[in-house]
Amino acid sequence: MRVALFITCFNDLLYPEVGRATVRLLRRLGVDVAFPQEQTCCGQMHFNTGYRDACVPLVERFTTAFAGFDAVVTPSASCAAMVRGHHAIVAAEAGDAGLERSVGEVAPRVHELTEFLVDVLGVEDVGAEFRERVAYHPTCHSLRLLRVGDRPQRLLRAVRGLELVDLAGAEECCGFGGTFAVKNADTSAAMGGDKIAAVRASGASVLTSADTSCLLHLGGLISREAIPVRTLHLVEILAGGGAPA
Amino acid sequence: MVTQEIELNDALARAGIAAWETDLAELIVQLGDDLPSHILVPAIHRNRTEIRDIFRRAMGGAGRPAPTDLSDEPRALAEAARLHLREKFLRARVAISGANFAVAETGTVMVVESEGNGRMCLTLPDVLITVMGIEKVVPAWRDLEVFLQLLPRSSTAERMNPYTSMWTGVAPGDGPRAFHLVLLDNGRTDTLSDPTGRQALRCIKCSACLNVCPVYERTGGRAYGSPYPGPIGAILTPQLRGIARHPVDAQTASLPYASSLCGACFDVCPVRIDIPEVLIHLRGQVVRQHGWRARIGSDEALLMAGLGATFRSPRRLAAAERAAGLAGRFVGRSGRIGRWPAPGMLGRWLRFRDLRVPARRSFRAWWRSTGGDEGAGR
């Protein structure tokens, strides 16, 4: 099986350690993952902010970069949802039948990391150890666009030493929302503040999720308020490298 | 709701006609010289002490005054409203109503409510005028069954609502002597012509989307600047105001962006309106109508243009990442940028949250030098 890593522009620039942890985990599970250098961005920010014309070359680039792979794995539920749910819309609007065909071939092969682990590789215990109390924030796009269900929690529960705590109001949005975070900054921060309060009440020392975009927002609020909670992408726990280097 | 959409009360007032709301919550809103904040519970932003004060202050100017010793007990408030409204029902010569549904095969119009005030409004005055959006019409009675179940279950969690009034013209010896039906378009046909946006017209005004929306929960309904608040208002109002055809006012243009796209609204919608999809679609229309060029002074348009060009080439992206990594080392030595009165989007981020700085070495750069092997150098 030829497997490619879609790092996402966000992780590439801001969270390269998430990419490294993904590679480490996949190799440990026997997957020889490739990184096509032609990849850039899925176009979600432009699409969701209304700059739809700008998405066409990005969708073209995505389908070219990942053509021919059996599976594309990404440590971002949000970007996986953009590719699987919206690339076809961009291609249809562009009126490009060739692009629509390529999207039809590539997009369904894109898997969010926990989907890939549980559905494609068929593993829940990835052999990780992590001795902390962890709160899991199910991000909106993992929950309501991809419908990953409890796959992330199943993976986390199988991690040795890890205590998964209940998070009140877990399924409510953290308030990031892409450009929403700066267009409606006070509403976004109010939503994030409530999420942080729930994390504090849970007694967790680590907050994790399947999207670093939400963690950038929540981590920024945590850092501003100097709360003793670390944010980690789920894969950093699963790869066994949870402690800071 | 629909009379508020066309600002009927204001027009009647200008014509010297006093129009009084008969729905209890709408009465509270009207007497308080206020705006509704919820589709089903228009006065949800008022507590009972405020309602008592509004009744004491304003009822006398509108008809039968509230007792001077009125308490804020719900029973006492309801009784004051009942006496005030009964007197109005017996005096009013003309009633104006909206409608929840209409059945084309028999020409029957229908109002679904919880108070009984609607039924008095529909039956006591001599003349009844109903103003109804054209999207309320269903073809036949058999089509109504599903809606009469969906609406109360999704709005008040009742299996059936307390009062369902239906009328087909006038009946001799009972109810109004004359009935006029106003079918309102007001942007609905234009909305119907948009294959993505038209699903908003399926709305049965149950307000389930408001009740789960984290944005509505924090801003309240009046922030939406229209009688239709919450997620459904954010997709309905811009379309009724013609966003697909011409630039709209700034408040209306901001509505499609009043969402984190969390999708909770779509999950609960009983008529499967994909609200996030329509929001994104309307954002495209905002950018198209107002234009990249019109917004070129905005840092958003510059950012979108800059990133759009960067993402078109992996080499440009790699160079931008190197530059960002270098810049990050200067501005945020601790790995993050803290409080800083930056302008524009960055400032709006930093007002509430710290910002993690770009990595010194991007993933792309790390892969190029190591081939993805963590043992290979650093």
Side-chain angles (χ1 to χ4, degrees):
Chain A
M1 185 167 63
R2 292 192 66 215
V3 178
L5 171 66
F6 168 41
I7 181 66
T8 79
C9 62
F10 200 85
N11 286 321
D12 188 11
L13 177 66
L14 289 164
Y15 292 89
E17 67 272 27
V18 168
R20 292 202 295 273
T22 308
V23 173
R24 193 184 320 140
L25 174 65
L26 291 176
R27 290 204 172 143
R28 193 168 80 207
L29 295 171
V31 178
D32 183 23
V33 62
F35 179 72
Q37 297 273 349
E38 290 298 301
Q39 63 180 283
T40 59
C41 167
C42 66
Q44 177 172 201
M45 190 182 69
H46 285 90
F47 189 79
N48 282 0
T49 314
Y51 295 78
R52 293 173 89 118
D53 297 348
C55 301
V56 181
L58 303 184
V59 171
E60 282 168 356
R61 167 160 296 286
F62 187 92
T63 54
T64 314
F66 292 105
F69 285 97
D70 300 308
V72 179
V73 186
T74 181
S76 167
S78 193
C79 302
M82 170 68 197
V83 175
R84 293 219 303 253
H86 292 143
H87 274 196
I89 297 175
V90 173
E93 276 185 0
D96 182 339
L99 185 58
E100 279 191 77
R101 251 193 323 277
S102 337
V103 168
E105 298 226 331
V106 174
R109 296 169 200 250
V110 174
H111 306 270
E112 182 274 330
L113 180 75
T114 68
E115 294 176 324
F116 184 75
L117 295 174
V118 174
D119 302 343
V120 180
L121 298 185
V123 291
E124 287 187 16
D125 182 351
V126 296
E129 181 173 334
F130 190 78
R131 304 207 162 271
E132 294 203 52
R133 299 184 74 177
V134 174
Y136 173 70
H137 166 54
T139 64
C140 298
H141 289 180
S142 69
L143 205 61
R144 286 181 279 269
L145 292 184
L146 291 185
R147 308 271 171 201
V148 300
D150 67 347
R151 289 176 184 81
Q153 289 95 325
R154 271 147 62 195
L155 288 159
L156 286 171
R157 281 199 195 95
V159 173
R160 269 166 290 286
L162 186 149
E163 186 191 346
L164 188 62
V165 301
D166 283 336
L167 183 60
E171 300 194 351
E172 186 166 313
C173 178
C174 72
F176 171 66
T179 47
F180 175 79
V182 289
K183 279 179 172 285
N184 293 284
D186 32 19
T187 308
S188 163
M191 290 160 69
D194 290 350
K195 181 68 68 180
I196 300 299
V199 173
R200 291 188 86 162
S202 76
S205 57
V206 168
L207 172 64
T208 191
S209 90
D211 277 291
T212 46
S213 47
C214 306
L215 292 178
L216 183 80
H217 163 69
L218 292 170
L221 288 165
I222 285 172
S223 156
R224 177 63 55 93
E225 292 172 33
I227 296 164
V229 174
R230 287 186 297 144
T231 54
L232 287 176
H233 188 283
L234 186 93
V235 74
E236 295 178 271
I237 294 172
L238 299 182
Chain B
M1 217 157 12
V2 77
T3 57
Q4 286 156 352
E5 179 190 323
I6 56 173
E7 297 170 6
L8 181 62
N9 283 3
D10 297 335
L12 290 173
R14 283 197 296 277
I17 299 167
W20 295 104
E21 296 290 345
T22 59
D23 173 89
L24 176 54
E26 294 286 7
L27 177 70
I28 295 165
V29 167
Q30 187 182 31
L31 291 175
D33 196 17
D34 198 359
L35 293 167
S37 61
H38 189 282
I39 288 174
L40 182 73
V41 207
I44 197 170
H45 57 289
R46 294 292 193 189
N47 64 36
R48 57 195 175 126
T49 309
E50 290 175 311
I51 292 168
R52 179 200 59 191
D53 295 344
I54 290 168
F55 280 7
R56 276 185 184 169
R57 188 177 66 238
M59 264 186 176
R64 182 181 171 126
T68 45
D69 61 345
L70 180 65
S71 78
D72 63 0
E73 287 305 309
R75 182 183 289 273
L77 294 174
E79 185 62 16
R82 180 177 290 122
L83 293 171
H84 179 84
L85 285 173
R86 290 283 157 103
E87 192 249 332
K88 284 221 159 64
F89 287 130
L90 293 172
R91 276 199 304 148
R93 295 185 5 239
V94 177
I96 299 175
S97 87
N100 290 96
F101 304 103
V103 182
E105 68 179 350
T106 55
T108 304
V109 185
M110 181 171 317
V111 164
V112 168
E113 45 137 2
S114 303
E115 297 173 357
N117 288 332
R119 179 164 294 173
M120 278 192 266
C121 176
L122 298 168
T123 52
L124 287 173
D126 282 341
V127 177
L128 172 61
I129 302 168
T130 296
V131 184
M132 181 184 84
I134 52 174
E135 81 280 16
K136 299 288 181 190
V137 183
V138 300
W141 281 91
R142 70 173 67 239
D143 302 308
L144 199 61
E145 182 193 0
V146 64
F147 291 114
L148 285 182
Q149 294 186 52
L150 285 179
L151 180 53
R153 285 166 202 225
S154 299
S155 64
T156 53
E158 293 169 299
R159 293 185 64 195
M160 196 176 173
N161 53 288
Y163 293 89
T164 303
S165 303
M166 309 169 185
W167 65 99
T168 309
V170 294
D174 188 26
R177 304 293 86 220
F179 169 55
H180 305 274
L181 179 63
V182 179
L183 287 163
L184 182 73
D185 188 310
N186 203 31
R188 285 164 176 76
T189 301
D190 288 328
T191 304
L192 191 63
S193 71
D194 181 332
T196 303
R198 69 169 60 133
Q199 54 188 308
L201 296 174
R202 288 208 294 263
C203 178
I204 55 175
K205 306 293 185 302
C206 75
S207 66
C209 60
L210 277 64
N211 299 337
V212 297
C213 177
V215 174
Y216 172 85
E217 183 186 335
R218 282 156 186 93
T219 63
R222 292 181 292 178
Y224 292 79
S226 120
Y228 307 112
I232 185 63
I235 63 169
L236 195 54
T237 305
Q239 295 197 87
L240 296 181
R241 291 180 183 169
I243 201 171
R245 286 165 294 125
H246 51 74
V248 292
D249 64 281
Q251 156 89 23
T252 305
S254 77
L255 287 175
Y257 294 95
S259 166
S260 63
L261 303 177
C262 83
C265 48
F266 181 35
D267 262 14
V268 296
C269 179
V271 291
R272 294 288 290 166
I273 302 171
D274 191 341
I275 294 176
E277 198 68 51
V278 181
L279 285 167
I280 295 171
H281 174 69
L282 297 180
R283 291 176 184 190
Q285 291 183 340
V286 171
V287 171
R288 202 172 307 134
Q289 289 298 342
H290 294 256
W292 288 59
R293 214 164 288 148
R295 304 166 135 241
I296 205 68
S298 80
D299 51 350
E300 175 193 304
L302 288 171
L303 180 75
M304 292 294 162
L307 286 179
T310 305
F311 291 147
R312 289 173 84 138
S313 147
R315 274 147 294 279
R316 241 174 286 166
L317 177 57
E321 285 171 346
R322 274 196 301 279
L326 270 173
R329 259 190 279 179
F330 284 105
V331 291
R333 265 174 230 94
S334 60
R336 66 180 69 91
I337 308 173
R339 282 177 207 277
W340 183 39
M345 294 168 85
L346 179 61
R348 290 197 294 278
W349 179 278
L350 292 176
R351 198 161 92 223
F352 299 103
R353 345 156 168 83
D354 292 347
L355 181 62
R356 184 186 172 99
V357 300
R360 286 169 60 177
R361 186 160 64 156
S362 69
F363 178 83
R364 179 181 306 274
W366 171 76
W367 184 282
R368 191 170 298 142
S369 61
T370 64
D373 179 1
E374 292 188 286
R378 256 192 62 91

